[in-house]
Amino acid sequence: MDASSPLTFAIIGFIVGLIVGAIAYRLFSKSQREAASMRQKLLEREHQIAEMKSSVGSHLTGIYQRLSNIRDEANQLELQLKEDAEEWNIRDAAIQPSLDLSGIDSMQEPQAALDATTPATPRDYADGKGGTLSEDFGLRGNEVATPQPPRY
């Protein structure tokens, strides 16, 4: 065999081609594996994001429902407060300025005030804070018999 024969060149070319092909395959297959790995990671992350969005959505829906329940409860409490204020005839805006007591009739007097009148202080009590009987009650002879207003 001669070193310059075409068969020698073919064998050397075939071996060099195999080496270059193996190196190219190794390089391209590595990038393909990295690309496949990246695609897999991307799909996993997209799946995690979708799960997170659904959990955040359900969380926000739960918060909205709780807030709606709180509003309903606050409306019921305000209605109860109005009913109690109407029952007790409380129309003092200084107590609760934001409370709308327009449904209460301001001319209506409480029934307890109409029914129960406080008795007048007896006329035989002494002046002042003591509230004891006057010592000279009925003993004064020169007193004018004009009626005096009741003392409270």
Side-chain angles (χ1 to χ4, degrees), residues 9-73:
F9 284 117
I11 292 175
I12 292 174
F14 181 73
I15 292 173
V16 169
L18 282 175
I19 292 172
V20 170
I23 291 173
Y25 176 75
R26 189 90 165 134
L27 289 174
F28 288 123
S29 68
K30 189 175 183 180
S31 66
Q32 289 293 337
R33 282 185 298 202
E34 288 176 359
S37 171
M38 292 293 248
R39 274 191 230 113
Q40 184 66 29
K41 285 182 183 178
L42 179 64
L43 290 174
E44 288 174 1
R45 299 275 164 82
E46 285 178 352
H47 183 67
Q48 288 175 350
I49 289 173
E51 285 180 4
M52 189 178 293
K53 281 183 180 180
S54 69
S55 68
V56 167
S58 64
H59 179 70
L60 291 177
T61 302
I63 289 175
Y64 178 75
Q65 255 182 343
R66 287 186 201 111
L67 186 61
S68 176
N69 290 342
I70 289 171
R71 284 184 183 145
D72 291 341
E73 212 170 302

Side-chain angles (χ1 to χ4, degrees), residues 112-134:
L114 292 176
D115 295 339
T117 57
T118 56
T121 306
R123 303 274 305 177
D124 59 346
Y125 275 74
D127 291 333
K129 300 178 190 174
T132 58
L133 287 175
S134 176

